[in-house]
Amino acid sequence: MGRILAIDYGHKRVGLAVTDPLQLIATPLDTVHSKDLLAYVKAYHLREPLAALVVGMPRTLLNEATDSTSAVVGLMRSLRKEFPQVPVHEIDERYTSRMAHAAMLAGGLSKKDRRDKATVDRVSATLILQSFLESR
């Protein structure tokens, strides 16, 4: 079994999370600049073969497209072209940032650490991945 990589895409930063090889546990991985994402995923895939990619799809509370939705659709197209053998799944990412803040607060992270947007992006990617794992 390969790992599953989750992507919480943002215009500047991208939060990443990954499963263990048995695909049971979601763990924060890294935060990269959005322009470096494809190169990062390629390098990661060479080190650790990926079984699937999960991308958080941004939607409003009324299930409408946001200003980031078209960028994420383009990203998914690029991922499918770059990794034709790896399934690319999308999952609703509404509330993940709010849930990430709540999880960090419950986990006892300091106010300074909770303000770090890179940490929020990694935790959000982990929540996206955990949601995907639970939906299977």
Side-chain angles (χ1 to χ4, degrees), residues 8-16 28 30-33 96-98 100-101 104 109-126:
D8 179 30
Y9 185 83
H11 292 294
K12 293 180 185 175
R13 279 178 321 282
V14 179
L16 301 170
D30 206 350
T31 305
V32 297
H33 194 283
T96 54
S97 292
R98 184 175 294 146
H101 281 287
M104 292 187 307
L109 259 68
S110 68
K111 191 172 190 175
K112 179 185 174 200
D113 290 338
R114 291 192 311 264
R115 283 189 187 147
D116 180 18
K117 293 185 187 307
T119 302
V120 174
D121 291 340
R122 283 191 301 274
V123 173
S124 292
T126 306

Side-chain angles (χ1 to χ4, degrees), residues 23-37:
Q23 301 177 1
L24 299 173
I25 301 168
T27 309
L29 177 64
D30 206 350
T31 305
V32 297
H33 194 283
S34 57
K35 67 178 174 58
D36 301 327
L37 177 62

Side-chain angles (χ1 to χ4, degrees), residues 11 35 40 57 82 130 134:
H11 292 294
K35 67 178 174 58
Y40 185 96
M57 184 58 68
E82 210 55 57
Q130 188 64 43
E134 290 170 1

Side-chain angles (χ1 to χ4, degrees), residues 58-122:
R59 308 296 287 175
T60 67
L61 296 179
L62 299 173
N63 201 26
E64 297 169 346
T66 69
D67 57 343
S68 299
T69 303
S70 62
V72 173
V73 169
L75 169 67
M76 291 180 64
R77 192 175 303 122
S78 297
L79 289 169
R80 286 185 175 116
K81 181 179 176 187
E82 210 55 57
F83 306 99
Q85 73 284 8
V86 179
V88 179
H89 305 279
E90 77 175 59
I91 192 160
D92 188 345
E93 72 166 27
R94 281 179 282 187
Y95 304 113
T96 54
S97 292
R98 184 175 294 146
M99 290 167 53
H101 281 287
M104 292 187 307
L105 184 62
L109 259 68
S110 68
K111 191 172 190 175
K112 179 185 174 200
D113 290 338
R114 291 192 311 264
R115 283 189 187 147
D116 180 18
K117 293 185 187 307
T119 302
V120 174
D121 291 340
R122 283 191 301 274

